[in-house]
Short mmCIF file of all heavy atoms in Angstrom, two decimals:
data_model
loop_
_atom_site.label_atom_id
_atom_site.label_comp_id
_atom_site.label_asym_id
_atom_site.label_seq_id
_atom_site.Cartn_x
_atom_site.Cartn_y
_atom_site.Cartn_z
N ALA P 26 -15.05 5.71 4.01
CA ALA P 26 -14.94 4.78 5.13
C ALA P 26 -14.66 3.41 4.58
O ALA P 26 -14.92 2.39 5.22
CB ALA P 26 -16.18 4.75 5.99
N GLY P 27 -14.14 3.34 3.34
CA GLY P 27 -13.82 2.00 2.75
C GLY P 27 -12.51 1.45 3.35
O GLY P 27 -11.81 2.18 4.04
N LEU P 28 -12.23 0.24 3.13
CA LEU P 28 -11.08 -0.46 3.71
C LEU P 28 -9.79 0.22 3.30
O LEU P 28 -8.87 0.32 4.09
CB LEU P 28 -11.04 -1.88 3.22
CG LEU P 28 -12.02 -2.85 3.95
CD1 LEU P 28 -12.14 -4.19 3.14
CD2 LEU P 28 -11.64 -3.11 5.35
N TRP P 29 -9.71 0.70 2.05
CA TRP P 29 -8.46 1.30 1.63
C TRP P 29 -8.26 2.71 2.22
O TRP P 29 -7.22 3.32 2.07
CB TRP P 29 -8.38 1.34 0.11
CG TRP P 29 -8.25 -0.03 -0.53
CD1 TRP P 29 -8.61 -0.29 -1.79
CD2 TRP P 29 -7.74 -1.22 0.01
NE1 TRP P 29 -8.41 -1.65 -2.07
CE2 TRP P 29 -7.85 -2.24 -0.98
CE3 TRP P 29 -7.21 -1.60 1.24
CZ2 TRP P 29 -7.46 -3.54 -0.80
CZ3 TRP P 29 -6.83 -2.89 1.42
CH2 TRP P 29 -6.94 -3.87 0.42
N GLU P 30 -9.28 3.23 2.95
CA GLU P 30 -9.07 4.53 3.62
C GLU P 30 -8.23 4.35 4.83
O GLU P 30 -7.36 5.11 5.10
CB GLU P 30 -10.45 5.11 4.01
CG GLU P 30 -10.84 6.23 3.03
CD GLU P 30 -12.09 6.98 3.47
OE1 GLU P 30 -12.31 7.01 4.67
OE2 GLU P 30 -12.78 7.41 2.56
N GLY P 31 -8.48 3.21 5.48
CA GLY P 31 -7.69 2.93 6.75
C GLY P 31 -6.34 2.27 6.48
O GLY P 31 -5.44 2.29 7.27
N HIS P 32 -6.21 1.62 5.30
CA HIS P 32 -4.99 0.85 5.09
C HIS P 32 -4.53 1.09 3.65
O HIS P 32 -5.32 1.17 2.70
CB HIS P 32 -5.36 -0.64 5.22
CG HIS P 32 -5.93 -1.05 6.59
ND1 HIS P 32 -7.26 -0.95 6.85
CD2 HIS P 32 -5.35 -1.43 7.71
CE1 HIS P 32 -7.51 -1.33 8.09
NE2 HIS P 32 -6.34 -1.63 8.66
N ASP P 33 -3.23 1.09 3.48
CA ASP P 33 -2.61 1.13 2.18
C ASP P 33 -2.57 -0.30 1.64
O ASP P 33 -1.93 -1.13 2.28
CB ASP P 33 -1.18 1.71 2.21
CG ASP P 33 -0.40 1.43 0.90
OD1 ASP P 33 -1.02 0.85 -0.04
OD2 ASP P 33 0.73 1.76 0.80
N PRO P 34 -3.32 -0.64 0.54
CA PRO P 34 -3.34 -2.02 0.07
C PRO P 34 -1.99 -2.65 -0.07
O PRO P 34 -1.82 -3.85 0.23
CB PRO P 34 -4.07 -1.94 -1.22
CG PRO P 34 -4.24 -0.47 -1.54
CD PRO P 34 -4.06 0.30 -0.34
N MET P 35 -0.99 -1.86 -0.34
CA MET P 35 0.36 -2.45 -0.58
C MET P 35 1.03 -2.87 0.78
O MET P 35 2.01 -3.55 0.80
CB MET P 35 1.20 -1.46 -1.34
CG MET P 35 0.73 -1.24 -2.77
SD MET P 35 0.53 -2.80 -3.65
CE MET P 35 -1.20 -2.67 -4.10
N THR P 36 0.42 -2.40 1.90
CA THR P 36 1.02 -2.81 3.25
C THR P 36 0.19 -3.89 3.89
O THR P 36 0.58 -4.46 4.90
CB THR P 36 0.99 -1.60 4.20
OG1 THR P 36 -0.32 -1.22 4.42
CG2 THR P 36 1.77 -0.39 3.61
N VAL P 37 -0.95 -4.24 3.34
CA VAL P 37 -1.76 -5.38 3.95
C VAL P 37 -2.26 -6.38 2.96
O VAL P 37 -2.69 -7.48 3.43
CB VAL P 37 -3.03 -4.75 4.66
CG1 VAL P 37 -2.62 -3.94 5.93
CG2 VAL P 37 -3.88 -3.90 3.70
N ALA P 38 -2.08 -6.17 1.66
CA ALA P 38 -2.76 -7.11 0.70
C ALA P 38 -1.70 -7.46 -0.40
O ALA P 38 -2.07 -7.51 -1.56
CB ALA P 38 -4.00 -6.56 0.11
N THR P 39 -0.43 -7.70 -0.03
CA THR P 39 0.59 -8.22 -0.98
C THR P 39 1.48 -9.25 -0.28
O THR P 39 1.58 -9.15 0.99
CB THR P 39 1.51 -7.06 -1.46
OG1 THR P 39 2.25 -6.60 -0.25
CG2 THR P 39 0.78 -5.92 -2.10
N PRO P 40 2.01 -10.17 -1.01
CA PRO P 40 2.89 -11.19 -0.38
C PRO P 40 4.10 -10.52 0.31
O PRO P 40 4.54 -10.92 1.36
CB PRO P 40 3.33 -12.07 -1.54
CG PRO P 40 2.56 -11.65 -2.72
CD PRO P 40 1.82 -10.43 -2.41
N GLU P 41 4.52 -9.39 -0.33
CA GLU P 41 5.67 -8.67 0.28
C GLU P 41 5.30 -8.12 1.66
O GLU P 41 6.12 -8.19 2.62
CB GLU P 41 6.10 -7.54 -0.66
CG GLU P 41 6.63 -8.00 -2.03
CD GLU P 41 5.48 -8.44 -2.97
OE1 GLU P 41 4.32 -8.09 -2.69
OE2 GLU P 41 5.77 -9.23 -3.89
N ALA P 42 4.07 -7.55 1.72
CA ALA P 42 3.59 -6.96 3.01
C ALA P 42 3.58 -8.06 4.09
O ALA P 42 3.95 -7.86 5.21
CB ALA P 42 2.26 -6.41 2.84
N PHE P 43 3.12 -9.28 3.69
CA PHE P 43 2.98 -10.42 4.65
C PHE P 43 4.37 -10.86 5.18
O PHE P 43 4.57 -11.10 6.33
CB PHE P 43 2.24 -11.58 3.99
CG PHE P 43 1.93 -12.72 4.94
CD1 PHE P 43 1.07 -12.50 6.05
CD2 PHE P 43 2.39 -14.02 4.68
CE1 PHE P 43 0.77 -13.55 6.90
CE2 PHE P 43 2.08 -15.06 5.50
CZ PHE P 43 1.32 -14.81 6.69
N ALA P 44 5.34 -10.84 4.25
CA ALA P 44 6.72 -11.24 4.60
C ALA P 44 7.29 -10.17 5.53
O ALA P 44 7.93 -10.53 6.59
CB ALA P 44 7.58 -11.38 3.36
N ALA P 45 7.03 -8.85 5.26
CA ALA P 45 7.60 -7.80 6.01
C ALA P 45 6.95 -7.63 7.45
O ALA P 45 7.64 -7.45 8.41
CB ALA P 45 7.44 -6.47 5.25
N ASP P 46 5.62 -7.75 7.52
CA ASP P 46 4.94 -7.59 8.76
C ASP P 46 3.68 -8.47 8.90
O ASP P 46 2.53 -7.96 8.73
CB ASP P 46 4.52 -6.14 8.92
CG ASP P 46 4.00 -5.76 10.31
OD1 ASP P 46 3.71 -6.76 11.05
OD2 ASP P 46 3.88 -4.56 10.65
N PRO P 47 3.90 -9.76 9.14
CA PRO P 47 2.73 -10.71 9.16
C PRO P 47 1.72 -10.35 10.24
O PRO P 47 0.54 -10.55 10.09
CB PRO P 47 3.40 -12.06 9.46
CG PRO P 47 4.80 -11.77 9.95
CD PRO P 47 5.19 -10.46 9.35
N ASP P 48 2.20 -9.70 11.38
CA ASP P 48 1.21 -9.38 12.46
C ASP P 48 0.18 -8.38 11.92
O ASP P 48 -1.02 -8.52 12.14
CB ASP P 48 1.99 -8.80 13.63
CG ASP P 48 2.77 -9.87 14.40
OD1 ASP P 48 2.32 -11.03 14.28
OD2 ASP P 48 3.78 -9.58 14.99
N LEU P 49 0.71 -7.33 11.21
CA LEU P 49 -0.19 -6.28 10.71
C LEU P 49 -1.23 -6.95 9.68
O LEU P 49 -2.39 -6.63 9.77
CB LEU P 49 0.64 -5.26 9.90
CG LEU P 49 -0.19 -4.17 9.19
CD1 LEU P 49 -0.90 -3.26 10.20
CD2 LEU P 49 0.68 -3.36 8.21
N VAL P 50 -0.70 -7.85 8.77
CA VAL P 50 -1.58 -8.45 7.87
C VAL P 50 -2.60 -9.36 8.50
O VAL P 50 -3.76 -9.29 8.17
CB VAL P 50 -0.75 -9.20 6.75
CG1 VAL P 50 -1.66 -9.96 5.77
CG2 VAL P 50 0.16 -8.22 5.98
N HIS P 51 -2.16 -10.13 9.47
CA HIS P 51 -3.09 -11.06 10.18
C HIS P 51 -4.13 -10.18 10.89
O HIS P 51 -5.33 -10.53 10.83
CB HIS P 51 -2.34 -11.94 11.16
CG HIS P 51 -1.70 -13.13 10.58
ND1 HIS P 51 -2.41 -13.94 9.70
CD2 HIS P 51 -0.51 -13.67 10.64
CE1 HIS P 51 -1.63 -14.96 9.34
NE2 HIS P 51 -0.44 -14.82 9.93
N ARG P 52 -3.71 -9.05 11.50
CA ARG P 52 -4.70 -8.23 12.21
C ARG P 52 -5.78 -7.75 11.28
O ARG P 52 -6.96 -7.78 11.56
CB ARG P 52 -3.99 -7.06 12.88
CG ARG P 52 -4.53 -6.73 14.25
CD ARG P 52 -3.76 -5.65 15.08
NE ARG P 52 -2.77 -4.84 14.38
CZ ARG P 52 -1.44 -5.07 14.43
NH1 ARG P 52 -1.02 -6.07 15.11
NH2 ARG P 52 -0.62 -4.27 13.79
N PHE P 53 -5.35 -7.35 10.01
CA PHE P 53 -6.25 -6.79 9.03
C PHE P 53 -7.31 -7.82 8.66
O PHE P 53 -8.50 -7.57 8.65
CB PHE P 53 -5.43 -6.38 7.80
CG PHE P 53 -6.28 -5.85 6.58
CD1 PHE P 53 -7.06 -4.74 6.73
CD2 PHE P 53 -6.25 -6.53 5.40
CE1 PHE P 53 -7.77 -4.27 5.65
CE2 PHE P 53 -6.95 -6.10 4.29
CZ PHE P 53 -7.74 -4.93 4.44
N TYR P 54 -6.85 -9.07 8.45
CA TYR P 54 -7.83 -10.11 8.06
C TYR P 54 -8.58 -10.72 9.21
O TYR P 54 -9.73 -11.05 9.06
CB TYR P 54 -7.13 -11.17 7.20
CG TYR P 54 -6.76 -10.64 5.84
CD1 TYR P 54 -5.48 -10.20 5.53
CD2 TYR P 54 -7.71 -10.51 4.79
CE1 TYR P 54 -5.19 -9.60 4.28
CE2 TYR P 54 -7.45 -9.95 3.56
CZ TYR P 54 -6.18 -9.51 3.36
OH TYR P 54 -5.93 -8.96 2.08
N ASP P 55 -7.92 -10.82 10.39
CA ASP P 55 -8.70 -11.37 11.58
C ASP P 55 -9.84 -10.41 11.90
O ASP P 55 -10.95 -10.87 12.24
CB ASP P 55 -7.70 -11.42 12.79
CG ASP P 55 -6.68 -12.57 12.67
OD1 ASP P 55 -6.92 -13.45 11.69
OD2 ASP P 55 -5.82 -12.72 13.49
N GLU P 56 -9.60 -9.09 11.80
CA GLU P 56 -10.66 -8.11 12.13
C GLU P 56 -11.83 -8.27 11.08
O GLU P 56 -12.99 -8.38 11.47
CB GLU P 56 -10.16 -6.65 12.01
CG GLU P 56 -9.41 -6.21 13.26
CD GLU P 56 -8.52 -4.95 13.01
OE1 GLU P 56 -8.76 -4.29 11.91
OE2 GLU P 56 -7.62 -4.70 13.85
N ARG P 57 -11.48 -8.45 9.81
CA ARG P 57 -12.55 -8.62 8.84
C ARG P 57 -13.30 -9.95 9.04
O ARG P 57 -14.51 -9.99 8.82
CB ARG P 57 -11.94 -8.56 7.39
CG ARG P 57 -11.48 -7.14 7.03
CD ARG P 57 -10.70 -7.10 5.75
NE ARG P 57 -11.46 -7.46 4.55
CZ ARG P 57 -10.96 -7.63 3.36
NH1 ARG P 57 -9.59 -7.49 3.17
NH2 ARG P 57 -11.66 -7.97 2.32
#
Side-chain angles (χ1 to χ4, degrees):
L28 284 168
W29 294 153
E30 258 187 25
H32 302 86
D33 165 2
M35 294 308 123
T36 64
V37 289
T39 64
E41 296 76 18
F43 187 59
D46 189 345
D48 290 333
L49 174 68
V50 173
H51 277 312
R52 220 173 13 258
F53 177 63
Y54 288 100
D55 285 352
E56 280 163 14
R57 290 171 66 186

